Amino acid sequence: MTRLVTAENQTMVTEFLFSVFPPLHQGGLLFFIPLLLIYAFIITGNLMIIIAVQLDATLHTPMYFFISVLSFLEIWYTTTTIPKMLSSLVSEQKTISLAGCLLQMYFFHSLGITEGCVLTAMAVDRYVAICSPLRYPTIMTPKLCVQLTAGSCLCGFLLVLPEIAWIATLPFCGSNQIQQIFCDFAPVLSLACTDTSRVVIVDAIHAVEILASFLAIALSYVRIIVVILGMPSAEGRHKAFSTCAAHLAVFLLFFGSVSVMYLRFSASYSVFWDTAIAVTFVILAPFLNPIIYSLRNKDMKDALGRLLCRGRRAGGVLR
């Protein structure tokens, strides 16, 4: 544990310790291997989706463009946390520097907010496709898709910046043990040796961000469901529902776990439940997303099949 002694003879924390990870000889390896396999699956699955969308002409639509953007974000979203978790599971030094902790918080939350905005853009895309199908090609143009993606990134990476800048000014001079699997606002702020009552403002900002995206997507789907139920053809209803099912599943998984974690204000959970909720949206949701988008979508399954066949043929030619 590294500390810096100040002129006032007060020790300042320069490293944080992740106290929830067990030592290697006490079960760390049992968690390391499954987590490594999950991380490899997340990277591989999302890369395959990105490549399939880029190479298959049948997937050159706004919906699949947003899915590929989401896959790209998922790769970096998980990379901000899982490699450090893997390191902490096998290393005796389960620490992270103060600067490293701030960077992890910044990129994790920036990418998370960006994902929420992209999911909102996907809901708008489905709303226009089902509620205004004749105007869909003229509204959801490639230019608008790029603008929505750029706006999502701008929103995500700017909203968190003031919060991280404020936390960077706080002194940390007590315990350095973070009771969480990654650096997050509440566990880090609880270690500050100064007044952090302004965290209520931070909670309110998070609540507005989450609820705004949630309401936009929920209202879009209420209208979509109403339109689908009014379709005369059963086949048409089934097809419309199937195009929305994957996005709706990802939306519920992502916003459900995030809401439980960040819309609790003064409520507190045990370390076990805090960790379990964090695992849901840090590991489980990114793990399930490629499965949902590939298994619940016939076009994506067909495109991935063609991609794999192309790879096998290329391998046969090289041999």
Side-chain angles (χ1 to χ4, degrees), residues 31-49 71 74-75 78-79 81-83 86 282-283 286-288 290-291:
F31 293 101
F32 175 84
I33 294 172
L35 184 58
L36 179 62
L37 293 174
I38 288 170
Y39 182 55
F41 175 82
I42 291 169
I43 300 298
T44 305
N46 283 300
L47 278 175
M48 286 182 67
I49 288 173
S71 292
E74 289 277 73
I75 290 171
T78 52
T79 300
T81 54
I82 294 182
L86 291 169
V282 175
I283 301 170
F287 172 72
L288 292 176
I291 299 173

Side-chain angles (χ1 to χ4, degrees), residues 20-300:
V20 297
F21 293 109
L24 184 62
H25 62 278
Q26 293 182 12
L29 193 62
L30 294 176
F31 293 101
F32 175 84
I33 294 172
L35 184 58
L36 179 62
L37 293 174
I38 288 170
Y39 182 55
F41 175 82
I42 291 169
I43 300 298
T44 305
N46 283 300
L47 278 175
M48 286 182 67
I49 288 173
I50 293 169
I51 294 168
V53 171
Q54 291 297 315
L55 296 182
D56 200 303
T58 62
L59 302 184
H60 290 175
T61 64
M63 183 177 77
Y64 292 108
F65 170 79
F66 287 125
I67 288 176
S68 68
V69 170
L70 193 66
S71 292
F72 177 78
L73 292 171
E74 289 277 73
I75 290 171
W76 295 108
Y77 176 77
T78 52
T79 300
T80 61
T81 54
I82 294 182
K84 186 60 185 175
M85 293 180 204
L86 291 169
S87 171
S88 297
L89 284 168
V90 296
S91 172
E92 292 297 326
Q93 297 294 322
K94 306 178 189 302
T95 58
I96 186 171
S97 67
L98 176 58
C101 190
L102 292 171
L103 283 171
Q104 188 182 69
M105 278 194 293
Y106 174 68
F107 284 107
F108 177 79
H109 285 282
S110 294
L111 290 162
I113 292 171
T114 303
E115 279 196 34
C117 293
V118 171
L119 284 170
T120 307
M122 290 173 72
V124 171
D125 170 70
R126 291 299 84 204
Y127 173 83
V128 177
I130 291 171
C131 299
S132 301
L134 297 179
R135 299 175 59 201
Y136 181 72
T138 58
I139 295 174
M140 295 305 298
T141 61
K143 182 180 178 181
L144 180 61
C145 293
V146 172
Q147 288 173 339
L148 287 171
T149 302
S152 298
C153 293
L154 199 64
C155 179
F157 283 86
L158 288 182
L159 278 175
V160 185
L161 202 55
E163 198 171 341
I164 297 297
W166 169 59
I167 295 174
T169 66
L170 299 177
F172 295 92
C173 53
S175 169
N176 74 331
Q177 295 192 16
I178 294 178
Q179 295 186 328
Q180 188 51 280
I181 57 176
F182 67 103
C183 286
D184 202 6
F185 293 127
V188 171
L189 286 171
S190 68
L191 302 179
C193 51
T194 187
D195 179 31
T196 58
S197 57
R198 279 184 290 181
V199 73
V200 176
I201 300 172
V202 173
D203 286 341
I205 293 169
H206 281 313
V208 170
E209 293 165 0
I210 295 167
L211 289 173
S213 292
F214 181 87
L215 286 174
I217 297 173
L219 290 173
S220 296
Y221 270 99
V222 168
R223 177 59 181 159
I224 287 169
I225 290 169
V226 169
V227 170
I228 291 174
L229 292 176
M231 291 178 176
S233 165
E235 185 181 348
R237 288 196 298 270
H238 176 75
K239 185 177 179 181
F241 270 123
S242 66
T243 63
C244 300
H247 176 253
L248 194 57
V250 171
F251 157 66
L252 292 172
L253 185 62
F254 179 81
F255 279 96
S257 55
V258 167
S259 297
V260 171
M261 191 69 177
Y262 296 110
L263 294 183
R264 55 180 170 175
F265 295 98
S266 58
S268 59
Y269 306 133
S270 66
V271 174
F272 172 81
W273 285 113
D274 258 344
T275 305
I277 295 165
V279 166
T280 302
F281 67 86
V282 175
I283 301 170
L284 185 61
F287 172 72
L288 292 176
N289 286 350
I291 299 173
I292 293 169
Y293 280 128
S294 58
L295 295 183
R296 292 290 303 171
N297 189 300
K298 185 178 183 301
D299 292 338
M300 182 63 75

Side-chain angles (χ1 to χ4, degrees), residues 1-3 13-17 93 95-98 176:
M1 178 173 64
T2 305
R3 296 178 182 271
V13 171
T14 59
E15 283 187 344
F16 294 113
L17 174 71
Q93 297 294 322
T95 58
I96 186 171
S97 67
L98 176 58
N176 74 331

